[in-house]
């Protein structure tokens, strides 16, 4: 129905509709019926209200236009602000700070997370911190099922006003539209904080405070970063914070005291700021490297962790046997190291780096990117195949300009004899620390380390040990001094007892046969009962020997099978090659014959001209021969094309 037709019929009292009604009726069919119903039943005349509503809308529009423009102008000229993206660690610092602010706790619209940093997954990945909440606002309750996860509240998307040092600040959390298509929801956001005034001092103070809070949180922890295959940075591997661990005291690493002290002294001297200047003045690259070698489970990684913890350095771990260890990947990782850190290169005896330069079958080194400061790679150094790391590539990375100065490099290997001399020459490796399977003193130390009494554990240890030694004492409230004395007495008693037991235990473990990790494994099974551990030691030695032998046999069998496979493969390859060469010889012979035949047929027509009938016979013979050769030739071509098909 045309809305303009029969309009008066819709107005019962015959009122002629206003032209604006006609227009509205045109856009919203049925509008006139609605207004007439309103008029009839409620007595409301929209004729009167519509101009008013239009005026309100207009004013609102003008107000919002001017207020937005005015706010944009104020923001541009009278405010200071900063932005933070999720792919920088400052995001984590700021989020920690924000989560501890009152406005964040009281926010009506908030995001709740169990892991404060999970949103920046490509900075931290699946963050695996042991005790993120240790010093947080909320207590982490731990029961037999593990720590109960703390909930973190942070303001949700949008703008939030808060006060800092008496000034109003705006915290804004918004989605980054540019990244929206390629990232998960958690990675799309950006944070910004702004304040009134053209001086950003207040914002810088806030950032400084956030950074201090963040550093304080990790003060007693060693932050561990691992190389991760890249998805966030265009496929290049990047450092991913994998976990933080309480600093490992040096005393818990069982190694000759002299060796430990030498290592600490050397590292302390190197990390002294004056040493940096000393290096710079003399134009010597400011780097230091240590090589730790020995059988698996003898404490190489533990020492590296202790070293990083002692000097409060972050530790960056790359395993050269990992899939990411390509030349490009490592170059990118090394160029993204902070100025002061410990880099742990694990398994440097890995394939591709193990041949020595003297080996004749070493393949030539790949052309490395021109690098003025890098040393000339050893002429015969090796390449890894398929984009894997080569020795010359690794040396370039370790010495090249891309590698940050100020880092402490620790390399570990199980097979020092396999390493190229170039890799461990002075300048690259400044100290070599050997690790060995446990001798008698080491076994004793491991035993003592496991059963040493700690004040926080004394009650449970006391129960376990005291029940056997009969020294259990009843609990009662004591003044501080008395409690201290009691603790000292108990400590001395238990230590003495552990000392005696450790000697007994060490006599049961053969020297240089088991690694500290293996012995620790046994003791952990009986961690509350040293006597039981001693009792179980003999059987454990027999069983472990048996297991090792079986494992060795299995490995030998596996190696044998692999060798057989390889030989078979080689044989098949050789046969293929042989066949190929035979075929190509046949082909050459065929083409030779063809050439001969062609030569003959080229000569053939001349003969009938110069000869009589008999010659004509000869000519037909020659023709037949040519045909024969041509046939042969065809045959050869056919067999060649067959070979090609094969
Ligand atoms: N010398 C040691 N002092 C203290 N603990 C040790 C020692 N050796 C091994 N351990 C213990 O054994 C376990 C494995 O040790 P770690 O990872 O340091 O050995 P590793 O030599 O680095 O082994 P791998 O060569 O397989 O990497 C750790 O729990 C560590 O506490």
């Amino acid at each position: 129905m045309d809305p303009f037709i029969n309009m008066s019929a819709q107005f019962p009292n015959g009122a002629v509709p206003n032209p604006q009604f006609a227009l509205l009726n045109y856009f919203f069919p049925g509008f006139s019926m609605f207004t007439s119903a309103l008029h009839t039943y409620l007595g409301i005349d929209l004729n009167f209200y519509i101009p008013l509503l239009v005026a309100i809308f207009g004013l609102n529009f003008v107000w919002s236009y001017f207020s937005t423009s005015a706010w944009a102008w104020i923001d541009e000229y009278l405010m200071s602000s900063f932005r933070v993206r999720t792919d920088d660690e400052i995001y984590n610092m700021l989020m920690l700070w924000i989560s501890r602010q009152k406005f964040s706790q009281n926010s009506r619209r908030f995001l709740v997370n169990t892991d404060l940093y999970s949103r920046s997954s490509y900075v931290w990945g699946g963050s695996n911190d042991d005790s993120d909440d240790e010093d947080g606002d909320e207590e982490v309750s731990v029961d037999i099922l593990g720590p109960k996860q703390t909930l973190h509240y942070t303001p949700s998307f949008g703008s939030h006003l808060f006060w800092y040092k008496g000034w109003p600040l705006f915290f804004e959390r918004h989605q980054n539209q540019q990244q929206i298509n390629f990232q998960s929801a958690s990675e799309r956001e950006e944070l910004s904080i702004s304040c009134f005034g053209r001086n950003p001092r207040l914002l810088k103070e806030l950032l400084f405070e956030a950074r201090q809070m963040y550093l304080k949180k990790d003060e007693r922890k060693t932050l561990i970063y691992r190389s991760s295959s890249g998805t966030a940075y265009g496929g290049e591997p990047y450092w991913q914070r994998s976990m933080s661990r309480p600093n490992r005291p040096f005393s818990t690493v069982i190694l000759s005291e002299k060796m430990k002290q030498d290592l600490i002294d050397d590292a302390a001297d190197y990390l002294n700021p004056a040493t940096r200047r000393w290096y710079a003045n003399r134009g010597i690259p400011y780097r230091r490297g240590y090589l730790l070698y020995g059988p698996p489970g003898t404490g190489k990684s533990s020492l590296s962790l202790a070293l990083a913890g002692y000097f409060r350095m972050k530790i960056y771990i790359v395993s050269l046997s990992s899939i990411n260890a390509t030349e490009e990947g490592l170059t990118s990782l090394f160029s993204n190291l902070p100025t002061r850190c410990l880099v742990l290169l694990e398994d440097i005896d890995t394939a591709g780096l193990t041949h020595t330069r003297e080996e004749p079958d070493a393949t030539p080194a790949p052309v490395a990117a021109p690098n003025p400061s890098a040393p000339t790679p050893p002429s015969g150094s090796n390449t890894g195949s398929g984009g894997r790391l080569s020795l010359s590539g690794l040396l370039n990375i370790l010495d090249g300009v891309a590698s940050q100065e100020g880092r402490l490099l620790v390399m570990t290997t199980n097979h020092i004899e396999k390493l190229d001399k170039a890799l461990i020459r002075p300048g690259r490796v400044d100290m070599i620390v050997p690790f060995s399977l446990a001798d008698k003193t080491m076994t004793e130390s491991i035993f003592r380390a496991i059963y040493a009494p700690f004040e926080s554990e004394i009650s449970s240890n006391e129960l376990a040990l005291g029940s056997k030694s009969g020294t259990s004492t009843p609990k009662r409230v004591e003044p501080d001094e008395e409690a201290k004395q009691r603790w000292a007495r108990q400590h001395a008693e238990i230590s003495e007892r552990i000392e005696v037991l450790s000697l007994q235990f060490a006599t049961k473990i053969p020297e240089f046969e088991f690694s500290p990790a293996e012995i620790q494994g046994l003791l952990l099974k009986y961690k509350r009962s040293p006597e039981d551990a001693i009792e179980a030691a003999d059987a454990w030695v027999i069983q472990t020997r048996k297991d090792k032998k079986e494992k060795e046999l299995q490995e030998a069998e596996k190696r044998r099978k692999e060798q057989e496979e390889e030989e078979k493969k080689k044989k098949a390859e050789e046969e293929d090659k042989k066949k190929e060469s035979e075929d190509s010889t046949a082909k050459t012979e065929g083409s030779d014959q063809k050439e001969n035949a062609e030569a003959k047929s080229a000569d053939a027509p001349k003969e009938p001209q110069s000869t009589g009938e008999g010659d004509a016979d000869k000519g037909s013979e020659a023709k037949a021969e040519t045909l024969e050769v041509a046939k042969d030739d065809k045959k050869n071509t056919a067999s060649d094309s067959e070979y090609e098909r094969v």
Side-chain angles (χ1 to χ4, degrees):
M1 187 183 81
D2 188 341
F4 290 99
I5 298 169
N6 204 13
M7 206 164 295
S8 58
Q10 293 170 35
F11 285 81
N13 50 5
V16 179
N18 180 325
Q20 71 202 22
F21 272 95
L23 201 66
L24 282 167
N25 208 37
Y26 183 74
F27 286 111
F28 307 106
F31 181 78
S32 57
M33 272 171 62
F34 172 71
T35 48
S36 67
L38 262 185
H39 190 259
T40 314
Y41 299 111
L42 298 175
I44 297 172
D45 185 3
L46 278 187
N47 254 338
F48 174 72
Y49 289 106
I50 281 186
L52 198 68
L53 286 174
V54 170
I56 290 171
F57 274 121
L59 273 178
N60 188 36
F61 177 77
V62 171
W63 167 251
S64 72
Y65 175 78
F66 277 106
S67 64
T68 314
S69 317
W71 189 245
W73 188 86
I74 291 171
D75 192 26
E76 175 96 22
Y77 298 104
L78 300 179
M79 289 183 85
S80 310
S81 68
F82 67 81
R83 272 174 185 255
V84 167
R85 283 195 351 220
T86 44
D87 58 356
D88 195 291
E89 205 161 345
I90 186 67
Y91 173 92
N92 300 329
M93 297 178 188
L94 194 61
M95 282 313 276
L96 178 71
W97 188 86
I98 293 283
S99 73
R100 303 259 170 102
Q101 302 307 304
K102 249 201 178 132
F103 85 96
S104 188
Q105 305 286 333
N106 299 335
S107 180
R108 276 191 309 115
R109 289 168 293 126
F110 56 88
L111 282 182
V112 58
N113 296 81
T114 48
D115 176 4
L116 191 57
Y117 312 110
S118 62
R119 263 154 282 112
S120 55
S121 62
Y122 58 85
V123 181
W124 287 33
S127 167
N128 189 16
D129 287 9
D130 303 355
S131 44
D132 269 349
D133 314 307
E134 222 167 52
D135 45 0
D137 297 336
E138 293 170 57
E139 276 279 303
V140 186
S141 53
V142 182
D143 63 20
I144 200 124
L145 299 173
K148 287 192 178 133
Q149 285 186 312
T150 313
L151 301 181
H152 297 278
Y153 304 108
T154 49
S156 137
F157 291 105
S159 192
H160 306 262
L161 174 78
F162 70 100
W163 295 83
Y164 176 67
K165 294 189 175 174
W167 293 92
L169 262 66
F170 296 93
F171 168 72
E172 221 174 302
R173 189 171 195 170
H174 38 98
Q175 301 210 328
N176 187 343
Q177 293 299 329
Q178 284 168 347
Q179 300 174 354
I180 225 150
N181 295 332
F182 306 104
Q183 289 168 306
S184 66
S186 60
E187 293 165 359
R188 293 171 195 161
E189 68 181 67
E190 261 187 16
L191 308 178
S192 73
I193 293 186
S194 43
C195 70
F196 288 108
R198 293 172 69 93
N199 189 348
R201 185 185 49 83
L202 194 68
L203 298 179
K204 286 184 180 163
E205 279 175 23
L206 185 153
L207 284 171
F208 182 75
E209 199 177 306
R211 185 171 164 269
Q212 292 299 100
M213 183 185 277
Y214 181 78
L215 294 180
K216 192 156 180 258
K217 186 173 174 289
D218 288 326
E219 205 171 31
R220 294 209 208 125
K221 291 186 197 147
T222 309
L223 303 188
I224 301 168
Y225 291 75
R226 279 187 181 275
S227 62
S228 179
S229 56
T231 48
Y233 299 107
E236 281 187 2
Y238 58 97
W239 293 114
Q240 186 177 66
R241 177 168 157 161
S242 73
M243 61 182 84
S244 65
R245 284 277 153 87
N247 288 343
R248 181 166 184 154
F250 250 104
S251 57
T252 64
V253 181
I254 298 154
L255 187 71
S256 119
E257 285 306 317
K258 186 180 174 309
M259 192 56 100
K260 276 199 267 186
Q261 199 50 52
D262 285 353
L263 197 65
I264 294 175
D265 291 345
D266 190 83
D269 180 48
Y270 169 70
L271 293 169
N272 188 334
T275 312
R276 191 183 193 116
R277 273 195 303 279
W278 190 94
Y279 272 80
N281 291 342
R282 284 155 187 80
I284 303 171
Y286 182 54
R287 291 178 197 129
R288 201 88 186 143
Y290 303 135
L291 175 73
L292 316 183
Y293 76 92
T298 47
K300 300 180 291 294
S301 309
S302 306
L303 186 73
S304 312
L305 271 174
L307 200 62
Y310 188 88
F311 291 104
R312 301 231 178 112
M313 288 188 290
K314 292 176 182 171
I315 184 164
Y316 291 78
I317 305 179
V318 198
S319 172
L320 291 190
S321 57
S322 88
I323 197 100
N324 303 327
T326 59
E327 194 165 332
E328 295 77 28
L330 272 189
T331 309
S332 152
L333 286 172
F334 268 69
S335 58
N336 284 315
L337 284 171
T339 40
R340 189 179 182 276
C341 65
L342 189 149
V343 183
L344 177 58
L345 268 189
E346 287 182 323
D347 310 323
I348 52 162
D349 53 291
T350 195
L353 301 171
T354 51
H355 307 283
T356 56
R357 284 189 290 166
E358 289 79 27
E359 265 182 59
D361 64 339
T363 30
V367 183
N371 186 348
S373 80
T376 329
S379 54
S381 56
N382 316 290
T383 55
S385 56
R388 297 279 304 159
L389 185 66
S390 66
L391 177 63
S392 63
L394 179 65
L395 297 185
N396 270 346
I397 291 162
L398 297 185
D399 303 344
V401 274
S403 173
Q404 280 285 1
E405 296 220 330
R407 50 133 181 89
L408 206 57
L409 177 73
V410 179
M411 299 193 269
T412 68
T413 177
N414 295 335
H415 303 283
I416 191 174
E417 71 286 351
K418 286 189 184 176
L419 299 181
D420 192 297
K421 286 184 197 88
L423 188 59
I424 53 175
R425 70 140 169 80
R428 290 195 182 110
V429 168
D430 302 287
M431 213 167 154
I432 297 182
V433 185
F435 285 77
S436 67
L437 296 173
D439 60 10
K440 199 161 176 286
T441 14
M442 270 173 105
T443 309
E444 285 167 18
S445 306
I446 298 165
F447 190 92
R448 279 195 299 270
I450 297 284
Y451 298 108
F454 282 85
E455 195 165 5
S456 54
E457 301 164 357
I458 193 78
S459 52
S460 53
N461 258 354
E462 173 199 349
L463 284 177
L465 298 169
S467 59
K468 296 213 174 194
S469 59
T471 55
S472 179
T473 39
K475 276 192 181 161
R476 63 188 167 89
V477 183
E478 297 158 316
D480 263 7
E481 203 42 48
E482 203 180 320
K484 264 185 200 166
Q485 281 177 8
R486 202 169 97 86
W487 150 247
R489 256 200 325 274
Q490 281 177 346
H491 186 272
E493 246 174 55
I494 297 171
S495 301
E496 216 172 282
R497 184 168 174 70
I498 295 297
E499 185 69 43
V500 176
L501 291 177
S502 73
L503 297 178
Q504 279 179 32
F505 180 72
T507 54
K508 299 199 166 215
I509 306 290
E511 287 194 286
F512 303 112
E513 195 176 334
F514 300 101
S515 70
E518 285 170 325
I519 297 170
Q520 184 178 285
L522 162 69
L523 296 178
L524 286 181
K525 270 194 207 163
Y526 304 96
K527 57 179 166 297
R528 300 206 189 283
S529 168
E531 283 87 355
D532 288 350
I534 295 171
E535 232 174 83
D538 287 332
W540 177 82
V541 169
I542 295 168
Q543 187 59 39
T544 317
R545 274 183 184 153
K546 207 173 134 195
D547 291 348
K548 275 186 173 178
K549 198 142 221 163
E550 256 172 40
K551 210 173 159 197
E552 269 170 26
L553 284 175
Q554 276 173 3
E555 267 168 19
E557 180 65 20
K558 201 176 147 197
R559 267 202 303 276
R560 194 185 59 77
K561 274 186 185 161
E562 276 172 4
Q563 249 174 3
E564 264 180 25
E565 286 280 307
E566 217 156 88
E567 269 167 26
K568 261 188 204 168
K569 235 188 204 173
K570 258 188 194 169
K571 242 184 189 173
E573 270 172 16
E574 269 169 22
E575 266 171 27
D576 277 355
K577 265 186 196 166
K578 217 171 154 186
K579 214 174 164 191
E580 210 174 295
S581 67
E582 272 172 17
D583 281 345
S584 63
T585 332
K587 203 175 172 184
T588 353
E589 276 172 8
S591 60
D592 283 353
Q593 278 175 354
K594 192 181 171 187
E595 268 170 27
N596 284 343
E598 272 170 9
K600 273 183 189 170
S601 62
D603 292 343
K606 286 176 194 167
E607 285 172 34
Q609 279 175 11
S610 58
T611 54
E613 236 180 283
D615 287 333
D617 281 343
K618 264 188 193 172
S620 62
E621 260 176 46
K623 232 178 192 176
E625 205 176 282
T626 316
L627 278 173
E628 234 7 67
V629 171
K631 258 188 203 168
D632 276 350
D633 201 35
K634 252 187 187 174
K635 254 188 211 168
N636 276 335
T637 327
S639 66
D640 280 348
S641 60
E642 255 167 44
Y643 175 71
E644 269 165 28
R645 271 207 303 279
V646 170

